[in-house]
Amino acid sequence: MQTVLLLGFMQGAITGLGLLVYAGRRNGSHWLSLGVLALSLTLLRLWTHAAGLEEHLLLRRLPLSFDPAIFPLFYLYALGLTGAPAASIRRALAWLLPWALFMGYSVLVYAAGLGETSVAALDAVAAQWHYAQVKGLEDYLTIGINTVLAALVWSRVRRHYARIANWVPERFAELLWLLKSVMALALVAAIINLASFSANHLFGLGERSVFSHAAQAFYVVLVYTAGIVGFRLKDLPHFPETPAGPTLPARTDPRTDDAFSKLQALMETSLLFAEPDLDLNIVAQRLGLTATETSRVIREGAGKNFRAYVNEFRVEAVKRKLRDPDYRGVSVLAISLESGFNSESSFYRVFKAATGLSPTEFRQRP
């Protein structure tokens, strides 16, 4: 476990600094990079404890209390990623206040022990500062903050995903999947954190229990995963929020049928679906409607959202070409690109979901 923790710290330090330099402030990436660095420093603290280095006078109670900062930084990243107003982000900085207070306290205790010549003397100084009691309070407060912020991250990202999923072109499908993974990471991290805390503090299983080791291993994995997610999601586009208007009674718009018929003609005759960068705004311009109106036309006319509607045409085009003898020598990838898909992985995923077969299996069927 010592080796795993040390590798996790080194990996986190490299990933956090690399993300900070490479991604900058795009989509709140700087908050994630700071969160990864805070997590890597927490792994460093766990490593010094596991390796017995805390018996060294200069390393005993080294102020590495970054645990309370990890989830607040991840929450700030979720706000930046989902395009929260600057005022909301400034208010969310208050979640870092407990970390600042506990870190300041740890620095004071460490400084008070400088110059002591034995571990016993350092422990006596710490006792005078009520170190054990304060650290216990820190642990309980941190687990509470982590649980609340994990729920806030999940809620914020889920609402953002639901809002933009209908706007994002197909080439960003993988980024949408990664956006969902942010929710999963927040929830899993909170659950494992709570399980480890319960094992150590409530059930007295100790820091060397299987629960504690499993949690530490997960944190090492989280350092790597969070870095990968951050590097990719820096490219996720932002889309304007549709202002919520007053709730109106349901009514039938006579333009809906005409607009949907025009859209069907654009898809079937003009092969609009074959444009690889097609998005809701482009379709709305062709129809002379707003994006919100176009989304409603598709939902009422086809019973599905924009991306599902367009992908249905693309899948049917691919199926026709896979059966066409003239396309026998054309690769599946080339056919998918010609039909409007611009991501090989998303094409295979969409095609398999629609037909139950891979494109190769579909082509080989009699």
Side-chain angles (χ1 to χ4, degrees), residues 19-61:
L19 184 61
L20 191 61
V21 171
Y22 180 65
R25 301 176 65 89
R26 280 179 289 179
N27 285 348
S29 297
H30 57 301
W31 296 118
L32 181 62
S33 64
L34 293 175
V36 170
L37 288 172
L39 183 54
S40 68
L41 289 171
T42 298
L43 293 175
L44 177 63
R45 177 178 60 78
L46 292 172
W47 173 73
T48 59
H49 180 71
L53 297 179
E54 290 183 343
E55 296 303 316
H56 191 286
L57 292 178
L58 290 178
L59 297 179
R60 194 166 186 81
R61 296 186 181 85

Side-chain angles (χ1 to χ4, degrees), residues 321-340:
K321 292 169 185 176
L322 290 176
R323 294 193 188 105
D324 190 338
D326 292 338
Y327 280 85
R328 189 165 297 158
V330 181
S331 70
V332 170
L333 177 59
I335 290 175
S336 70
L337 295 175
E338 185 179 87
S339 302

Side-chain angles (χ1 to χ4, degrees), residues 162-230:
R163 184 176 68 81
I164 73 171
N166 195 38
W167 294 66
V168 176
E170 185 63 33
R171 69 179 184 276
F172 293 112
E174 293 182 10
L175 295 186
L176 279 177
W177 180 85
L178 284 173
L179 184 62
K180 274 188 173 181
S181 72
V182 172
M183 293 188 292
L185 283 175
L187 290 179
V188 172
I191 291 171
I192 290 181
N193 192 237
L194 182 59
S196 176
F197 175 85
S198 300
N200 292 343
H201 292 78
L202 302 182
F203 302 111
L205 296 182
E207 296 183 353
R208 298 187 183 277
S209 69
V210 64
F211 290 100
S212 181
H213 285 172
Q216 293 171 12
F218 172 77
Y219 297 148
V220 173
V221 174
L222 182 61
V223 162
Y224 175 78
T225 307
I228 295 299
V229 168

